[in-house]
Amino acid sequence: MSENAFAFRLEANDGAARVGTFTTPHGDVPTPAFMPVGTLGTVKSLSMEEVGGLGARMILGNTYHLYLRPGHELVRQLGGLHDFMRWTGPILTDSGGYQVFSLAQIRDISDEGAVFTSHVDGSKHLFTPESVMDIQRTLGADVVMAFDECPPGGSDHAHAREANERTLKWLVRCRRRFEELNAQGAYPAQALFPVLQGNVYDDLRREHARQFQDVGDWAGFGIGGLSVGEAKPAMWRTLDVLDEELPFDRPRYLMGVGYPDDLLEAVSRGYDMFDCVAPTRNARHGTAWTSEEGQVNLKAARFREDTRPLDPNCDCTTCARYTRAYLRHLVASAEMLGFRLISIHNLRFLVRLGEQARRHIAQGTFHGWSGDWLERYRGARG
Ligand SMILES: [Zn+2]
């Protein structure tokens, strides 16, 4: 019953690029869509009213972080993740796999699951495919992700194959547990996305995509294991390979992407949903994206007397009200407001890029527009 609350409707395409609407119990998500990351139940430094005001329709939460702090049972007790953080739109939680393998100290990984020590207090924990489904149900996200093994970027073929095999075994167990919870009438309704791995090995990518579809039908697909340090051409080739393998009528979520130019490249190859911590992480270092000058760092001396908005083409509240000179002063003084104002701009920049892509795909002008956009963005001085 639960997945009936979800649907993906494709509305237009321009080449491989697509416009769609992903329907969830907490509202519709027009795609292509960038989803701000709310790691610990917060998109760093912003209120949920501000995040909504940026045009974001769906946001992320991190299972690993919320499980450790404040704890998924406490979140449920306080009304579930939506109510706890006061976000009324759809939420996607990741499985924690990426954080377990990147942040935590792994003690032991086996077919059973992953034993790790918390990066917060060193305590020992076990994540299994079943427990990760339980935690995400308890948190109450709309879309939950299957537990996967994400091997480090640059892993050799044998290691990548091993991770694929384990991820497939875990996927079958995730699905079984997910269906058990549905059969129990467990609230709320959720959609489960699998996470494809396979590094940049075409054979492993194809095999994984086929194996996943043999397991069953899916409400959408997560593409993992990219943007982990591989060369860009290898990433684009992998996306082209998966475009051939994945059903066209399911949303495709490219995990951990991205930067503005990566997002457009992926949209042009048929991908729909994106997330990345770069907008707020870059803001912390004074780095902002602009449509005419590419990526800029506001610490640069040339902004000292610059009274123009950060990006004259941007419609965010930062660009409407503040000068580059003021932003530079805030960044140079390590003022919290500088971080907030640049975060607002960077997040709006990506959300708006999704909106612009959507409009151009519908008009059949996407490829010319994105080609010009990328040329200008990449040609600009940083
Ligand atoms: Zn702006």
Side-chain angles (χ1 to χ4, degrees):
M1 69 156 212
S2 75
E3 289 197 20
N4 293 344
F6 296 85
F8 185 58
R9 192 173 64 245
L10 276 175
E11 288 146 13
N13 75 291
D14 184 0
R18 329 107 63 85
V19 160
T21 300
F22 181 45
T23 299
T24 82
H26 284 90
D28 286 351
V29 183
T31 63
F34 177 79
M35 304 179 285
V37 181
T39 308
L40 271 157
T42 157
V43 177
K44 287 197 188 308
S45 85
L46 303 188
S47 71
M48 287 303 119
E49 294 71 37
E50 288 170 318
V51 174
L54 296 168
R57 301 293 282 267
M58 183 167 191
I59 63 170
L60 257 73
N62 284 121
T63 293
Y64 168 86
H65 288 288
L66 293 166
Y67 160 81
L68 292 176
R69 286 186 301 196
H72 53 296
E73 289 295 351
L74 180 59
V75 172
R76 169 156 63 189
Q77 195 187 315
L78 295 170
L81 189 53
H82 291 88
D83 205 30
F84 182 47
M85 67 193 288
R86 297 288 193 263
W87 174 255
T88 56
I91 298 176
L92 180 151
T93 42
D94 66 2
S95 69
Y98 182 79
Q99 283 76 24
V100 165
F101 290 101
S102 60
L103 262 188
Q105 197 188 344
I106 293 284
R107 302 291 285 266
D108 181 37
I109 172 172
S110 67
D111 284 349
E112 168 61 15
V115 177
F116 61 94
T117 50
S118 156
H119 77 288
V120 179
D121 60 7
S123 54
K124 197 172 163 186
H125 303 266
L126 167 69
F127 269 3
T128 66
E130 290 80 12
S131 74
V132 159
M133 289 295 97
D134 291 348
I135 295 166
Q136 292 186 86
R137 186 76 65 154
T138 304
L139 289 169
D142 299 271
V143 174
V144 301
M145 304 302 292
F147 193 50
D148 60 314
E149 180 179 354
C150 182
S155 294
D156 64 23
H157 192 273
H159 185 183
R161 173 183 292 272
E162 206 178 301
N164 267 20
E165 286 167 1
R166 182 166 283 140
T167 297
L168 177 64
K169 282 183 200 160
W170 286 355
L171 179 64
V172 172
R173 283 167 56 194
C174 280
R175 187 173 175 116
R176 194 181 306 136
R177 182 66 189 151
F178 180 79
E179 286 172 351
E180 279 168 15
L181 290 169
N182 284 349
Q184 291 168 13
Y187 185 80
Q190 295 185 317
L192 170 63
F193 283 18
V195 180
L196 290 151
Q197 291 292 345
N199 213 289
V200 289
Y201 301 110
D202 294 1
D203 59 329
L204 296 182
R205 284 287 179 183
R206 284 190 196 280
E207 186 182 61
H208 227 206
R210 290 172 193 177
Q211 288 166 334
F212 278 25
Q213 290 170 82
D214 289 342
V215 172
D217 190 17
W218 302 98
F221 290 83
I223 293 95
L226 290 175
S227 205
V228 290
E230 73 281 1
K232 289 291 163 66
M235 175 162 148
W236 310 143
R237 194 192 66 243
T238 303
L239 293 182
D240 287 336
V241 164
L242 286 174
D243 178 44
E244 292 171 15
E245 297 292 337
L246 294 174
F248 74 95
D249 58 353
R250 293 289 182 275
R252 301 158 172 186
Y253 161 35
L254 181 53
M255 304 171 73
V257 171
Y259 280 68
D261 46 340
D262 294 346
L263 189 141
L264 279 189
E265 292 276 7
V267 166
S268 78
R269 289 169 170 81
Y271 294 81
D272 311 298
M273 296 159 67
F274 308 90
D275 80 283
C276 191
V277 295
T280 46
R281 180 182 289 168
N282 281 356
R284 194 151 53 239
H285 302 293
T287 302
W289 299 311
T290 69
S291 54
E292 301 291 336
E293 293 169 61
Q295 183 170 301
V296 300
N297 194 302
L298 284 152
K299 288 178 189 155
R302 66 189 162 99
F303 296 126
R304 218 169 72 87
E305 298 174 34
D306 193 334
T307 55
R308 289 172 297 170
L310 177 48
D311 183 346
N313 301 318
C314 180
D315 60 5
C316 84
T317 52
T318 298
C319 291
R321 293 189 57 78
Y322 300 97
T323 65
R324 294 174 173 192
Y326 182 60
L327 294 172
R328 180 183 182 276
H329 159 68
L330 293 177
V331 169
S333 315
E335 277 295 325
M336 203 183 305
L337 183 61
F339 170 53
R340 271 176 43 72
L341 292 177
I342 299 171
S343 291
I344 286 170
H345 167 77
N346 282 349
L347 285 163
R348 176 59 193 153
F349 194 81
L350 285 182
V351 168
R352 183 159 172 258
L353 202 55
E355 294 170 0
Q356 290 170 313
R358 195 177 149 80
R359 195 163 57 246
H360 282 286
I361 295 166
Q363 291 168 354
T365 54
F366 175 77
H367 293 279
W369 169 76
S370 68
D372 291 346
W373 196 99
L374 286 169
E375 197 178 295
R376 195 169 58 242
Y377 181 85
R378 288 170 174 158
R381 66 174 176 171

